[in-house]
Amino acid sequence: MYFYGIIKKNLEIKDKAKRVVQVERMDVSYNKLFKLLIDKGMKKTVFAKTVGISANTLAKLSNNELVSMGVIVRICRNFNCTVDDIMDILPATVER
């Protein structure tokens, strides 16, 4: 689907009532964040406690799913880095 020139990908999932729901998926990668954790010798669970994020948010990061801007800001402040140091926004791909 095209919206304002941006390609959006949708995934169909079923909610608790077994209805099909469209979920927007954005292409992001947090590989830089996890490389930073490896370089610092920090485990994911220690990272989550230090930054103050839940296990669900950590799972979203691990699965390259969207997280709130507040989470990104807390991570950047904790590691004294910028958004570019912890994540990539991948180019959109055209699905046919």
Side-chain angles (χ1 to χ4, degrees):
M1 304 175 116
Y2 289 91
F3 294 97
Y4 304 104
I6 298 172
I7 301 170
K8 297 194 178 196
K9 297 178 185 176
N10 293 319
L11 300 175
E12 287 188 1
I13 61 169
K14 293 186 178 180
D15 65 4
K16 290 181 181 179
K18 306 287 187 215
R19 296 175 298 197
V20 175
V21 179
Q22 293 286 329
V23 177
E24 182 182 326
R25 187 187 71 163
M26 303 293 281
D27 294 325
V28 295
S29 172
Y30 301 105
N31 290 342
K32 288 181 179 179
L33 170 63
F34 294 112
K35 182 177 183 327
L36 183 65
L37 293 180
I38 291 168
D39 292 345
K40 292 183 176 284
M42 185 181 284
K43 295 187 179 211
K44 287 181 181 182
T45 52
V46 173
F47 157 73
K49 287 181 183 177
T50 302
V51 175
I53 60 174
S54 68
N56 289 339
T57 302
L58 181 59
K60 285 183 178 184
L61 290 168
S62 297
N63 292 324
N64 291 322
E65 296 176 12
L66 294 178
V67 295
S68 74
M69 185 57 71
V71 169
I72 300 297
V73 170
R74 285 200 313 257
I75 293 169
C76 289
R77 285 185 177 158
N78 190 337
F79 287 116
N80 194 25
C81 65
T82 65
V83 174
D84 288 342
D85 295 329
I86 62 167
M87 69 180 286
D88 286 317
I89 299 172
L90 305 175
T93 57
V94 178
E95 289 184 5
R96 298 204 186 258

Coordinates of all heavy atoms in Angstrom, one line a residue:
M1 N 0.8 -1.2 0.0 CA 0.0 0.0 0.0 C 0.9 1.2 0.0 O 1.9 1.3 0.7 CB -0.9 0.0 1.2 CG -1.8 -1.2 1.4 SD -2.6 -1.1 2.9 CE -4.3 -1.0 2.3
Y2 N 0.5 2.2 -0.7 CA 1.3 3.5 -0.8 C 0.6 4.6 0.0 O -0.6 4.8 -0.2 CB 1.5 3.9 -2.2 CG 2.4 3.0 -3.0 CD1 1.9 1.9 -3.7 CD2 3.8 3.3 -3.0 CE1 2.8 1.1 -4.4 CE2 4.6 2.5 -3.7 CZ 4.1 1.4 -4.4 OH 5.0 0.6 -5.1
F3 N 1.3 5.2 0.9 CA 0.8 6.3 1.6 C 1.8 7.4 1.6 O 2.9 7.2 2.1 CB 0.5 5.9 3.1 CG -0.6 4.9 3.3 CD1 -0.3 3.6 3.4 CD2 -1.9 5.3 3.2 CE1 -1.4 2.7 3.6 CE2 -3.0 4.4 3.4 CZ -2.7 3.1 3.5
Y4 N 1.5 8.5 1.0 CA 2.4 9.7 0.9 C 3.8 9.2 0.4 O 4.8 9.7 0.9 CB 2.6 10.3 2.3 CG 1.3 10.8 2.9 CD1 0.7 10.0 3.9 CD2 0.6 11.9 2.4 CE1 -0.6 10.4 4.4 CE2 -0.6 12.3 2.9 CZ -1.2 11.6 3.9 OH -2.4 11.9 4.4
G5 N 3.8 8.3 -0.5 CA 5.1 7.9 -1.1 C 5.9 6.9 -0.3 O 6.9 6.5 -0.7
I6 N 5.3 6.5 0.8 CA 6.0 5.5 1.7 C 5.4 4.2 1.5 O 4.2 4.0 1.5 CB 6.0 5.9 3.1 CG1 6.7 7.3 3.3 CG2 6.6 4.9 4.0 CD1 6.6 7.9 4.7
I7 N 6.2 3.1 1.3 CA 5.6 1.8 1.2 C 5.5 1.2 2.6 O 6.4 1.2 3.4 CB 6.6 0.9 0.4 CG1 6.7 1.5 -1.0 CG2 6.0 -0.5 0.3 CD1 7.8 0.8 -1.8
K8 N 4.3 0.7 2.9 CA 4.0 0.1 4.2 C 3.7 -1.3 4.0 O 2.9 -1.7 3.1 CB 2.9 0.8 4.9 CG 3.2 2.3 5.2 CD 2.2 2.9 6.2 CE 2.6 4.3 6.5 NZ 2.0 4.8 7.6
K9 N 4.3 -2.2 4.8 CA 4.0 -3.6 4.7 C 3.1 -4.0 5.9 O 3.2 -3.5 7.0 CB 5.3 -4.4 4.9 CG 6.3 -4.1 3.8 CD 7.6 -4.9 4.1 CE 8.6 -4.6 3.0 NZ 9.9 -5.2 3.3
N10 N 2.2 -4.8 5.6 CA 1.2 -5.2 6.6 C 1.3 -6.7 6.8 O 1.5 -7.5 5.9 CB -0.2 -4.9 6.2 CG -0.4 -3.4 6.2 OD1 0.1 -2.7 7.1 ND2 -1.1 -2.9 5.2
L11 N 1.2 -7.1 8.1 CA 1.1 -8.6 8.4 C -0.2 -8.9 8.9 O -0.8 -8.1 9.6 CB 2.2 -8.9 9.5 CG 3.6 -8.6 9.2 CD1 4.5 -8.8 10.4 CD2 4.1 -9.5 8.1
E12 N -0.8 -10.0 8.6 CA -2.0 -10.4 9.1 C -1.8 -11.3 10.3 O -1.1 -12.3 10.2 CB -2.9 -11.2 8.1 CG -3.4 -10.2 7.0 CD -4.4 -11.0 6.1 OE1 -4.6 -12.2 6.3 OE2 -4.9 -10.3 5.2
I13 N -2.4 -11.0 11.4 CA -2.3 -11.9 12.6 C -3.7 -12.0 13.2 O -4.6 -11.2 12.8 CB -1.4 -11.3 13.7 CG1 -1.9 -9.9 14.2 CG2 0.0 -11.2 13.2 CD1 -1.1 -9.4 15.4
K14 N -3.9 -13.0 14.0 CA -5.2 -13.1 14.7 C -5.1 -12.7 16.1 O -4.2 -13.0 16.8 CB -5.6 -14.6 14.6 CG -5.9 -15.1 13.2 CD -6.4 -16.5 13.2 CE -6.7 -16.9 11.7 NZ -7.2 -18.2 11.6
D15 N -6.2 -11.9 16.5 CA -6.2 -11.4 17.9 C -6.9 -12.5 18.8 O -7.1 -13.6 18.3 CB -6.9 -10.1 18.0 CG -8.4 -10.1 17.6 OD1 -8.9 -11.2 17.3 OD2 -9.0 -9.0 17.6
K16 N -7.1 -12.2 20.0 CA -7.6 -13.1 21.0 C -9.0 -13.6 20.6 O -9.4 -14.7 20.9 CB -7.7 -12.5 22.4 CG -6.3 -12.3 23.0 CD -6.4 -11.8 24.4 CE -5.0 -11.5 24.9 NZ -5.1 -11.0 26.3
A17 N -9.8 -12.8 19.8 CA -11.1 -13.2 19.4 C -11.1 -13.9 18.0 O -12.1 -14.1 17.4 CB -12.0 -12.0 19.3
K18 N -9.9 -14.3 17.6 CA -9.7 -15.0 16.3 C -10.0 -14.2 15.1 O -10.3 -14.8 14.1 CB -10.4 -16.4 16.3 CG -10.2 -17.3 17.5 CD -8.8 -17.9 17.4 CE -8.6 -18.9 18.5 NZ -7.3 -19.0 19.0
R19 N -10.0 -12.9 15.2 CA -10.3 -12.0 14.1 C -8.9 -11.7 13.4 O -7.9 -11.6 14.1 CB -10.9 -10.7 14.5 CG -12.3 -10.9 15.1 CD -12.8 -9.6 15.6 NE -11.9 -9.1 16.7 CZ -12.1 -8.2 17.6 NH1 -13.2 -7.5 17.5 NH2 -11.3 -7.8 18.5
V20 N -8.9 -11.6 12.1 CA -7.7 -11.2 11.4 C -7.5 -9.7 11.5 O -8.4 -8.9 11.3 CB -7.8 -11.6 9.9 CG1 -6.6 -11.1 9.2 CG2 -7.9 -13.1 9.8
V21 N -6.3 -9.3 12.0 CA -6.0 -7.9 12.2 C -4.8 -7.6 11.3 O -3.8 -8.3 11.2 CB -5.6 -7.7 13.7 CG1 -5.3 -6.3 13.9 CG2 -6.8 -8.1 14.6
Q22 N -4.8 -6.4 10.7 CA -3.6 -5.9 9.9 C -2.7 -5.2 10.9 O -3.1 -4.3 11.6 CB -4.1 -5.0 8.8 CG -4.9 -5.6 7.7 CD -4.1 -6.5 6.8 OE1 -2.9 -6.2 6.6 NE2 -4.7 -7.5 6.3
V23 N -1.4 -5.6 10.8 CA -0.4 -5.0 11.7 C 0.7 -4.4 10.8 O 1.2 -5.1 9.9 CB 0.2 -6.0 12.6 CG1 1.3 -5.3 13.4 CG2 -0.8 -6.6 13.5
E24 N 1.0 -3.1 10.9 CA 2.0 -2.5 10.2 C 3.4 -2.9 10.6 O 3.6 -3.0 11.8 CB 1.9 -1.0 10.3 CG 2.9 -0.2 9.5 CD 2.8 1.3 9.7 OE1 1.6 1.8 9.8 OE2 3.8 1.9 9.6
R25 N 4.2 -3.3 9.7 CA 5.6 -3.7 10.0 C 6.6 -2.7 9.4 O 6.5 -2.4 8.2 CB 5.9 -5.1 9.5 CG 7.2 -5.6 10.0 CD 7.5 -6.9 9.3 NE 7.8 -6.6 7.9 CZ 8.4 -7.4 7.1 NH1 8.7 -8.6 7.4 NH2 8.6 -7.0 5.8
M26 N 7.4 -2.2 10.2 CA 8.5 -1.3 9.7 C 9.8 -2.1 9.7 O 10.0 -3.0 10.5 CB 8.6 -0.1 10.6 CG 7.3 0.7 10.8 SD 6.7 1.5 9.3 CE 7.8 2.9 9.4
D27 N 10.6 -1.7 8.8 CA 11.9 -2.4 8.7 C 13.0 -1.6 9.5 O 13.5 -0.6 9.0 CB 12.3 -2.5 7.2 CG 11.4 -3.4 6.4 OD1 10.9 -4.4 7.0 OD2 11.2 -3.1 5.2
V28 N 13.3 -2.1 10.7 CA 14.3 -1.6 11.5 C 15.2 -2.7 12.0 O 14.8 -3.9 12.0 CB 13.7 -0.8 12.8 CG1 12.9 0.4 12.4 CG2 12.9 -1.8 13.6
S29 N 16.4 -2.3 12.3 CA 17.4 -3.3 12.8 C 18.1 -2.7 14.0 O 18.6 -1.6 14.0 CB 18.4 -3.7 11.7 OG 19.4 -4.5 12.3
Y30 N 18.1 -3.5 15.1 CA 18.8 -3.1 16.3 C 20.1 -3.9 16.4 O 20.7 -4.0 17.5 CB 17.9 -3.4 17.5 CG 16.6 -2.6 17.5 CD1 15.4 -3.2 17.2 CD2 16.6 -1.2 17.7 CE1 14.2 -2.5 17.1 CE2 15.4 -0.5 17.6 CZ 14.2 -1.2 17.4 OH 13.1 -0.5 17.3
N31 N 20.7 -4.4 15.3 CA 21.9 -5.2 15.4 C 23.1 -4.4 16.0 O 23.9 -4.9 16.7 CB 22.3 -5.7 14.0 CG 21.4 -6.8 13.5 OD1 20.6 -7.4 14.3 ND2 21.3 -7.0 12.2
K32 N 23.1 -3.1 15.7 CA 24.1 -2.2 16.3 C 24.1 -2.2 17.8 O 25.1 -2.2 18.5 CB 24.0 -0.8 15.7 CG 24.4 -0.6 14.3 CD 24.3 0.8 13.9 CE 24.7 1.1 12.5 NZ 24.5 2.5 12.1
L33 N 22.8 -2.2 18.3 CA 22.7 -2.2 19.8 C 23.2 -3.4 20.4 O 24.0 -3.4 21.4 CB 21.2 -2.0 20.1 CG 20.8 -2.3 21.6 CD1 21.5 -1.2 22.5 CD2 19.3 -2.3 21.8
F34 N 22.9 -4.6 19.8 CA 23.4 -5.8 20.3 C 24.9 -6.0 20.1 O 25.5 -6.7 21.0 CB 22.5 -7.0 19.8 CG 21.1 -6.9 20.2 CD1 20.1 -6.6 19.4 CD2 20.8 -7.0 21.6 CE1 18.8 -6.5 19.8 CE2 19.5 -6.9 22.0 CZ 18.5 -6.6 21.1
K35 N 25.4 -5.5 19.1 CA 26.9 -5.5 19.0 C 27.5 -4.6 20.0 O 28.6 -5.0 20.6 CB 27.3 -5.0 17.6 CG 28.8 -5.1 17.4 CD 29.3 -4.6 16.0 CE 30.7 -4.8 15.8 NZ 31.6 -4.5 16.9
L36 N 26.9 -3.5 20.4 CA 27.4 -2.6 21.4 C 27.4 -3.4 22.8 O 28.3 -3.3 23.6 CB 26.6 -1.4 21.5 CG 26.9 -0.3 22.5 CD1 28.3 0.3 22.2 CD2 25.9 0.8 22.5
L37 N 26.3 -4.1 23.0 CA 26.2 -4.9 24.3 C 27.3 -6.0 24.3 O 27.9 -6.2 25.4 CB 24.8 -5.6 24.4 CG 23.6 -4.7 24.5 CD1 22.4 -5.5 24.6 CD2 23.8 -3.8 25.7
I38 N 27.6 -6.6 23.2 CA 28.7 -7.6 23.1 C 30.0 -7.0 23.4 O 30.8 -7.5 24.2 CB 28.7 -8.4 21.8 CG1 27.4 -9.3 21.7 CG2 29.9 -9.2 21.6 CD1 27.2 -9.8 20.3
D39 N 30.2 -5.8 22.8 CA 31.5 -5.1 23.0 C 31.7 -4.7 24.4 O 32.8 -4.7 25.0 CB 31.6 -3.9 22.1 CG 31.7 -4.2 20.6 OD1 32.0 -5.4 20.3 OD2 31.5 -3.3 19.8
K40 N 30.6 -4.4 25.1 CA 30.7 -4.0 26.5 C 30.6 -5.2 27.5 O 30.8 -5.0 28.7 CB 29.5 -3.0 26.9 CG 29.7 -1.6 26.2 CD 28.6 -0.7 26.7 CE 28.7 0.7 26.1 NZ 29.8 1.4 26.7
G41 N 30.4 -6.4 26.9 CA 30.3 -7.6 27.8 C 29.1 -7.6 28.6 O 29.1 -8.2 29.7
M42 N 28.0 -7.0 28.1 CA 26.8 -6.9 28.9 C 25.7 -7.8 28.4 O 25.5 -7.9 27.2 CB 26.2 -5.4 28.8 CG 25.0 -5.2 29.7 SD 24.4 -3.5 29.6 CE 25.6 -2.6 30.5
K43 N 25.1 -8.6 29.3 CA 24.0 -9.5 28.9 C 22.8 -8.7 28.7 O 22.6 -7.7 29.3 CB 23.8 -10.6 30.0 CG 25.0 -11.5 30.1 CD 24.8 -12.6 31.1 CE 26.0 -13.5 31.1 NZ 25.7 -14.8 31.4
K44 N 21.9 -9.3 27.9 CA 20.6 -8.6 27.6 C 19.8 -8.3 28.8 O 19.2 -7.3 28.9 CB 19.8 -9.5 26.6 CG 20.3 -9.5 25.2 CD 19.4 -10.3 24.3 CE 19.9 -10.4 22.9 NZ 19.0 -11.1 22.0
T45 N 19.7 -9.3 29.8 CA 18.9 -9.1 31.0 C 19.5 -8.0 31.8 O 18.7 -7.2 32.4 CB 18.8 -10.4 31.8 OG1 20.1 -10.9 32.0 CG2 18.0 -11.4 31.0
V46 N 20.8 -7.9 31.9 CA 21.4 -6.8 32.7 C 21.1 -5.5 32.0 O 20.8 -4.5 32.7 CB 22.9 -7.0 32.8 CG1 23.6 -5.8 33.5 CG2 23.2 -8.3 33.6
F47 N 21.2 -5.5 30.7 CA 20.9 -4.3 29.9 C 19.5 -3.8 30.2 O 19.3 -2.6 30.4 CB 21.1 -4.6 28.4 CG 20.4 -3.7 27.5 CD1 20.8 -2.4 27.2 CD2 19.3 -4.2 26.8 CE1 20.1 -1.6 26.4 CE2 18.6 -3.4 25.9 CZ 19.0 -2.1 25.7
A48 N 18.5 -4.7 30.1 CA 17.1 -4.4 30.4 C 16.9 -3.7 31.7 O 16.2 -2.7 31.9 CB 16.2 -5.6 30.2
K49 N 17.6 -4.3 32.7 CA 17.4 -3.8 34.1 C 18.1 -2.4 34.2 O 17.5 -1.5 34.8 CB 18.0 -4.7 35.1 CG 17.2 -6.0 35.3 CD 17.8 -6.9 36.4 CE 16.9 -8.1 36.5 NZ 17.5 -9.1 37.4
T50 N 19.3 -2.3 33.6 CA 20.0 -1.0 33.7 C 19.2 0.1 33.0 O 19.1 1.2 33.5 CB 21.4 -1.1 33.0 OG1 22.1 -2.2 33.6 CG2 22.2 0.1 33.0
V51 N 18.6 -0.1 31.8 CA 17.9 0.9 31.1 C 16.5 1.1 31.6 O 15.9 2.1 31.5 CB 17.9 0.5 29.6 CG1 17.0 1.5 28.8 CG2 19.3 0.5 29.0
G52 N 16.0 0.0 32.2 CA 14.6 0.1 32.8 C 13.5 -0.3 31.8 O 12.5 0.4 31.7
I53 N 13.8 -1.3 31.0 CA 12.8 -1.8 30.0 C 12.3 -3.2 30.4 O 13.0 -3.9 31.1 CB 13.3 -1.8 28.6 CG1 14.5 -2.7 28.5 CG2 13.7 -0.4 28.1 CD1 15.1 -2.9 27.1
S54 N 11.1 -3.5 30.0 CA 10.5 -4.8 30.4 C 11.0 -5.9 29.5 O 11.7 -5.6 28.5 CB 9.0 -4.7 30.2 OG 8.6 -4.5 28.8
A55 N 10.7 -7.1 29.9 CA 11.1 -8.3 29.1 C 10.4 -8.2 27.7 O 11.0 -8.6 26.7 CB 10.7 -9.5 29.8
N56 N 9.1 -7.7 27.7 CA 8.4 -7.6 26.4 C 9.1 -6.6 25.5 O 9.3 -6.9 24.3 CB 7.0 -7.1 26.6 CG 6.1 -8.2 27.2 OD1 6.5 -9.4 27.2 ND2 5.1 -7.8 27.9
T57 N 9.6 -5.5 26.0 CA 10.3 -4.5 25.1 C 11.6 -5.1 24.7 O 12.0 -4.9 23.5 CB 10.5 -3.2 25.9 OG1 9.3 -2.7 26.3 CG2 11.3 -2.2 25.1
L58 N 12.3 -5.8 25.5 CA 13.6 -6.5 25.2 C 13.3 -7.5 24.0 O 14.1 -7.6 23.1 CB 14.2 -7.2 26.4 CG 15.5 -7.9 26.1 CD1 16.6 -7.0 25.6 CD2 16.0 -8.6 27.4
A59 N 12.2 -8.2 24.1 CA 11.8 -9.2 23.1 C 11.6 -8.5 21.8 O 12.0 -8.9 20.7 CB 10.6 -10.0 23.5
K60 N 10.9 -7.3 21.8 CA 10.7 -6.5 20.6 C 12.0 -6.1 20.0 O 12.2 -6.1 18.8 CB 9.8 -5.3 20.9 CG 8.3 -5.6 21.1 CD 7.6 -4.3 21.3 CE 6.1 -4.6 21.5 NZ 5.3 -3.4 21.6
L61 N 12.9 -5.6 20.8 CA 14.2 -5.2 20.3 C 14.9 -6.4 19.6 O 15.5 -6.3 18.5 CB 15.1 -4.6 21.4 CG 14.7 -3.3 22.0 CD1 15.4 -3.0 23.2 CD2 14.9 -2.2 20.9
S62 N 14.9 -7.6 20.3 CA 15.5 -8.8 19.8 C 14.9 -9.2 18.4 O 15.6 -9.8 17.6 CB 15.4 -9.9 20.8 OG 16.1 -9.6 22.0
N63 N 13.6 -8.9 18.2 CA 12.9 -9.3 17.0 C 12.9 -8.2 16.0 O 12.1 -8.3 15.0 CB 11.5 -9.8 17.3 CG 11.6 -11.1 18.1 OD1 12.4 -12.0 17.9 ND2 10.6 -11.3 19.0
N64 N 13.6 -7.1 16.2 CA 13.6 -6.0 15.3 C 12.2 -5.4 15.1 O 11.9 -5.1 13.9 CB 14.3 -6.3 14.0 CG 15.8 -6.6 14.2 OD1 16.5 -5.9 14.9 ND2 16.3 -7.5 13.4
E65 N 11.5 -5.3 16.1 CA 10.1 -4.7 16.0 C 10.2 -3.3 16.6 O 11.2 -2.9 17.2 CB 9.1 -5.5 16.9 CG 8.9 -6.9 16.3 CD 8.0 -7.8 17.2 OE1 7.3 -7.2 18.1 OE2 8.0 -9.0 17.0
L66 N 9.2 -2.5 16.3 CA 9.2 -1.1 16.7 C 9.0 -1.0 18.2 O 8.3 -1.8 18.8 CB 8.0 -0.4 16.1 CG 8.1 -0.2 14.6 CD1 6.9 0.5 14.1 CD2 9.3 0.6 14.2
V67 N 9.7 -0.1 18.8 CA 9.6 0.2 20.3 C 9.3 1.7 20.3 O 9.6 2.5 19.4 CB 10.8 -0.2 21.1 CG1 11.0 -1.7 21.1 CG2 12.1 0.5 20.6
S68 N 8.9 2.2 21.5 CA 8.6 3.6 21.6 C 9.9 4.5 21.6 O 11.0 4.0 21.8 CB 7.9 3.9 22.9 OG 8.8 3.8 24.0
M69 N 9.6 5.7 21.2 CA 10.8 6.7 21.2 C 11.3 6.9 22.6 O 12.6 7.1 22.7 CB 10.3 8.0 20.6 CG 11.4 9.0 20.4 SD 12.8 8.4 19.4 CE 12.0 8.4 17.8
G70 N 10.5 6.8 23.6 CA 11.0 6.9 25.0 C 12.0 5.8 25.3 O 13.0 6.1 26.0
V71 N 11.8 4.6 24.8 CA 12.8 3.5 25.0 C 14.1 3.8 24.3 O 15.2 3.7 24.9 CB 12.2 2.2 24.5 CG1 13.3 1.1 24.5 CG2 11.0 1.8 25.4
I72 N 14.0 4.3 23.1 CA 15.2 4.6 22.3 C 16.0 5.7 23.0 O 17.2 5.7 23.1 CB 14.8 5.1 20.9 CG1 14.1 4.0 20.1 CG2 16.1 5.5 20.1 CD1 14.9 2.7 19.9
V73 N 15.3 6.7 23.5 CA 15.9 7.8 24.3 C 16.6 7.3 25.5 O 17.8 7.7 25.8 CB 14.9 9.0 24.6 CG1 15.5 10.0 25.5 CG2 14.5 9.6 23.3
R74 N 16.0 6.5 26.3 CA 16.6 5.9 27.5 C 17.9 5.1 27.2 O 18.9 5.2 27.9 CB 15.6 5.1 28.3 CG 14.6 5.9 29.0 CD 13.9 5.1 30.1 NE 13.4 3.8 29.8 CZ 12.2 3.5 29.5 NH1 11.2 4.4 29.5 NH2 11.8 2.2 29.2
I75 N 17.8 4.3 26.1 CA 19.0 3.6 25.7 C 20.1 4.5 25.3 O 21.3 4.3 25.8 CB 18.6 2.6 24.5 CG1 17.7 1.5 25.0 CG2 19.9 2.0 24.0 CD1 17.1 0.7 23.8
C76 N 19.8 5.5 24.5 CA 20.9 6.4 24.1 C 21.5 7.2 25.2 O 22.7 7.4 25.3 CB 20.3 7.4 23.0 SG 20.0 6.6 21.4
R77 N 20.6 7.6 26.2 CA 21.2 8.4 27.3 C 22.0 7.5 28.2 O 23.0 7.9 28.7 CB 20.0 9.0 28.1 CG 19.4 10.2 27.5 CD 18.3 10.8 28.3 NE 17.8 12.0 27.7 CZ 16.7 12.5 28.0 NH1 15.9 12.0 28.9 NH2 16.3 13.6 27.3
N78 N 21.6 6.2 28.3 CA 22.4 5.3 29.2 C 23.7 5.0 28.6 O 24.7 4.9 29.3 CB 21.6 4.0 29.3 CG 22.2 3.1 30.4 OD1 23.3 3.1 30.7 ND2 21.3 2.2 30.9
F79 N 23.8 4.8 27.3 CA 25.1 4.5 26.6 C 25.8 5.8 26.1 O 26.8 5.6 25.4 CB 24.9 3.5 25.5 CG 24.6 2.1 25.9 CD1 23.3 1.5 25.7 CD2 25.5 1.4 26.7 CE1 23.1 0.3 26.1 CE2 25.2 0.1 27.1 CZ 24.0 -0.4 26.9
N80 N 25.2 6.9 26.3 CA 25.8 8.2 25.8 C 26.1 8.1 24.3 O 27.3 8.3 23.9 CB 27.1 8.5 26.6 CG 27.5 10.0 26.4 OD1 26.7 10.8 26.1 ND2 28.8 10.2 26.6
C81 N 25.1 7.8 23.6 CA 25.2 7.6 22.1 C 24.0 8.2 21.4 O 23.1 8.8 22.0 CB 25.4 6.1 21.8 SG 23.9 5.1 22.1
T82 N 24.0 8.1 20.1 CA 22.9 8.6 19.3 C 22.1 7.5 18.7 O 22.6 6.3 18.8 CB 23.5 9.5 18.1 OG1 24.2 8.6 17.2 CG2 24.3 10.6 18.6
V83 N 21.0 7.8 18.1 CA 20.1 6.8 17.5 C 20.9 6.0 16.5 O 20.8 4.8 16.4 CB 18.8 7.4 17.0 CG1 18.0 6.4 16.2 CG2 18.0 8.1 18.1
D84 N 21.7 6.7 15.7 CA 22.5 6.0 14.6 C 23.4 5.0 15.2 O 23.8 4.0 14.5 CB 23.3 7.0 13.8 CG 22.4 7.9 12.9 OD1 21.3 7.5 12.7 OD2 22.9 8.9 12.5
D85 N 23.8 5.1 16.4 CA 24.8 4.1 17.0 C 24.1 2.8 17.5 O 24.8 1.8 17.7 CB 25.4 4.7 18.3 CG 26.3 5.9 17.9 OD1 26.9 5.9 16.8 OD2 26.4 6.8 18.8
I86 N 22.7 2.8 17.6 CA 22.1 1.6 18.1 C 21.1 1.0 17.1 O 20.6 -0.1 17.4 CB 21.3 1.9 19.4 CG1 20.2 3.0 19.3 CG2 22.3 2.3 20.5 CD1 19.3 3.1 20.4
M87 N 20.7 1.7 16.1 CA 19.7 1.1 15.2 C 19.9 1.6 13.7 O 20.5 2.7 13.5 CB 18.3 1.4 15.7 CG 17.9 2.9 15.5 SD 16.2 3.2 16.1 CE 15.2 2.6 14.8
D88 N 19.3 0.9 12.8 CA 19.3 1.2 11.4 C 17.8 1.2 11.0 O 17.1 0.3 11.4 CB 20.1 0.2 10.5 CG 21.5 0.4 10.7 OD1 22.0 1.6 10.7 OD2 22.2 -0.6 10.8
I89 N 17.5 2.1 10.1 CA 16.2 2.1 9.4 C 16.5 1.6 8.0 O 17.2 2.2 7.3 CB 15.5 3.5 9.4 CG1 15.2 3.9 10.8 CG2 14.2 3.4 8.6 CD1 14.8 5.4 10.9
L90 N 16.0 0.4 7.7 CA 16.3 -0.3 6.5 C 15.5 0.3 5.3 O 14.3 0.8 5.6 CB 16.0 -1.8 6.6 CG 16.8 -2.5 7.8 CD1 16.3 -3.9 7.9 CD2 18.3 -2.3 7.6
P91 N 16.0 0.3 4.1 CA 15.2 0.8 3.0 C 14.0 -0.1 2.7 O 14.0 -1.3 3.0 CB 16.2 0.7 1.8 CG 17.3 -0.3 2.2 CD 17.3 -0.3 3.7
A92 N 12.9 0.6 2.3 CA 11.7 -0.1 2.0 C 11.9 -0.9 0.7 O 12.6 -0.6 -0.2 CB 10.6 0.9 1.7
T93 N 11.2 -2.1 0.7 CA 11.2 -2.9 -0.4 C 9.8 -3.0 -1.0 O 8.8 -2.9 -0.3 CB 11.7 -4.4 0.0 OG1 10.8 -4.9 1.0 CG2 13.1 -4.4 0.5
V94 N 9.8 -3.2 -2.3 CA 8.5 -3.2 -3.0 C 8.0 -4.7 -3.0 O 8.7 -5.6 -3.5 CB 8.6 -2.7 -4.4 CG1 7.3 -2.8 -5.2 CG2 9.1 -1.3 -4.4
E95 N 6.8 -4.9 -2.5 CA 6.2 -6.2 -2.6 C 5.2 -6.2 -3.7 O 4.4 -5.3 -3.9 CB 5.5 -6.6 -1.3 CG 6.5 -6.9 -0.2 CD 5.7 -7.3 1.0 OE1 4.5 -7.5 1.0 OE2 6.4 -7.5 2.1
R96 N 5.1 -7.3 -4.5 CA 4.2 -7.4 -5.6 C 3.3 -8.6 -5.4 O 3.7 -9.6 -4.9 CB 4.9 -7.4 -6.9 CG 5.6 -6.2 -7.2 CD 5.8 -5.9 -8.6 NE 6.7 -4.8 -8.8 CZ 6.2 -3.6 -9.1 NH1 5.0 -3.4 -9.3 NH2 7.1 -2.6 -9.3

